Amino acid sequence: MSEPTYEELKAQLEQAQKQLGSKKSGPLDFRVGEKGGVSVYGLGRFPVTLYYEPWTRLLAAVPELQSFLEEQKSAGKLKLKE
């Protein structure tokens, strides 16, 4: 069996990167654990888990969080994915 060419390896690498990238930007999945915590999967490597009260507080603060994020983005303080 012959060695793969540079172009073939490059194509395989690009394909693998596309597959890995698609996992991170996939749909969010919500689950309730045995102890009553609600976990959100699909945001990153690990799920984000909170109980009911913290989730409701976070959801109530969404407009404030959005404006905070925009301020930080404008100031160049946030690390943004390209």
Side-chain angles (χ1 to χ4, degrees):
M1 194 165 153
S2 65
E3 295 283 323
T5 66
Y6 173 78
E7 294 302 321
E8 291 171 335
L9 289 173
K10 188 176 176 183
Q12 288 176 1
L13 177 61
E14 288 174 5
Q15 181 68 23
Q17 288 174 337
K18 285 179 186 177
Q19 289 175 347
L20 287 175
S22 66
K23 287 183 181 179
K24 291 183 180 179
S25 62
L28 298 179
D29 184 33
F30 307 99
R31 300 179 197 168
V32 177
E34 291 179 16
K35 297 181 181 179
V38 177
S39 299
V40 179
Y41 291 80
L43 292 172
R45 185 173 179 183
F46 300 104
V48 175
T49 304
L50 297 172
Y51 290 101
Y52 179 81
E53 292 295 327
W55 276 121
T56 56
R57 288 183 60 205
L58 182 61
L59 291 172
V62 165
E64 182 181 346
L65 177 59
Q66 286 176 323
S67 64
F68 174 78
L69 290 173
E70 286 304 315
E71 289 171 10
Q72 300 306 309
K73 182 178 164 185
S74 299
K77 294 183 178 181
L78 294 180
K79 181 178 177 183
L80 303 174
K81 266 193 161 174
E82 296 175 12

